[in-house]
Amino acid sequence: MTSIILLIVALFLDGFLSTIIPLNYPFLPLITVTTIYLIYPILKKKQKTYLLISFISGILYDLLYTNQLLFNAIIFTTISYITKYFYKTYQQTKITKIIYLIIILIIYELLSASLLFVFQITSITISRIIYKILYSILLNIIYAVIINIFLIKES
C-alpha cells in the first residue's frame, strides 16, 4: 500500500512541480520515475505487482501529462525491469542507489528521446537531451534521499 501511495503522490508532485518551477531553472522533476526506482525494495517479493503498478503509473502519467497513451507506460515498465536487474545483480548501498538512480534517469531520457525521434513526435537534439538529463538529476536525487530516509522500508 505504501508503494501505491508514494506513486500517487509522485504523479501529482510531477505535475505540481512542473507548473511552479520555471523552464530555465536547473530542476526538472521526474518524481514518478524516481519513485518507480525507489519502491522496488517494498515490492521485491511481488514482482508482477511491481511491474503492473509501473505500467499503470505510466498510463496515468500519459493521461495526465503527455496525451500519448502507452508512451510512458512502456518506458516505466522498461525502467522497472532495469531497476529489478540493478537490485538483483548489484549490491545496494546509499552511494550505489544514487548512482543507479542517475543511470535510471539517463535511461528514461534516452528512451523518451528515442521514441520521440522514431515516431517523429518532435525534433530532438543532443543538447536538449543533455540539458534534460543534467537538470533532472539534482531535484530527483534530493527527493530520493528524503523518501529513502523517511519512508522506504525493505520488506
Side-chain angles (χ1 to χ4, degrees), residues 80-92:
S80 297
Y81 277 108
I82 295 167
T83 297
K84 189 171 98 169
Y85 173 78
F86 282 156
Y87 271 94
K88 285 185 169 191
T89 308
Y90 303 108
Q91 181 180 359
Q92 299 297 312

Side-chain angles (χ1 to χ4, degrees), residues 60-96:
L60 291 173
Y61 195 92
D62 287 333
L63 290 172
L64 292 170
Y65 305 121
T66 67
N67 292 324
Q68 299 168 345
L69 194 58
L70 298 179
F71 183 84
N72 279 292
I74 292 166
I75 295 173
F76 286 7
T77 305
T78 304
I79 293 295
S80 297
Y81 277 108
I82 295 167
T83 297
K84 189 171 98 169
Y85 173 78
F86 282 156
Y87 271 94
K88 285 185 169 191
T89 308
Y90 303 108
Q91 181 180 359
Q92 299 297 312
T93 65
K94 291 177 183 176
I95 298 297
T96 59

